[in-house]
Amino acid sequence: MAKFTGYVSEHTKFIEELKAKTPGMEQRQQEGRSLLWDKAPISLEEEARIKESRLRQNAYPYQTKV
C-alpha cells in the first residue's frame, strides 16, 4: 500500500512557519520540558523515607470523628 506524502495539513504548515519565524524555539521548549520532567533519580532509601513520611489522609476530610 503506497502512502501519499504530498499532503501537508494546516496545522503542520502553521507549526513549520512558527518554527521558521522564531529561531531557538525548540531549544527553549526542550529546556522548559526538562524543568518539569527530567528529574535526577533518587535512591531507594530516599524513596522509602519519602513514602514513610507521607501523612495518611481521610477519605472525606470534613467528616467528624465519632
Side-chain angles (χ1 to χ4, degrees), residues 20-66:
K21 288 179 186 177
T22 54
M25 183 177 80
E26 287 189 59
Q27 181 180 355
R28 289 191 308 272
Q29 196 175 25
Q30 289 176 356
E31 290 170 358
R33 190 178 302 131
S34 68
L35 289 174
L36 296 173
W37 298 104
D38 297 341
K39 305 289 184 188
I42 60 172
S43 66
L44 293 176
E45 294 83 18
E46 181 73 13
E47 187 174 346
R49 188 191 64 75
I50 292 170
K51 187 176 181 181
E52 289 173 4
S53 67
R54 286 196 179 118
L55 295 175
R56 182 167 169 82
Q57 186 176 3
N58 295 333
Y60 186 70
Y62 302 108
Q63 181 178 3
T64 58
K65 295 179 178 163
V66 179

Side-chain angles (χ1 to χ4, degrees), residues 6-20:
Y7 173 75
V8 179
S9 72
E10 294 293 321
H11 293 93
T12 303
K13 289 178 187 177
F14 171 75
I15 296 295
E16 288 175 355
E17 288 176 15
L18 183 64
K19 287 181 181 179

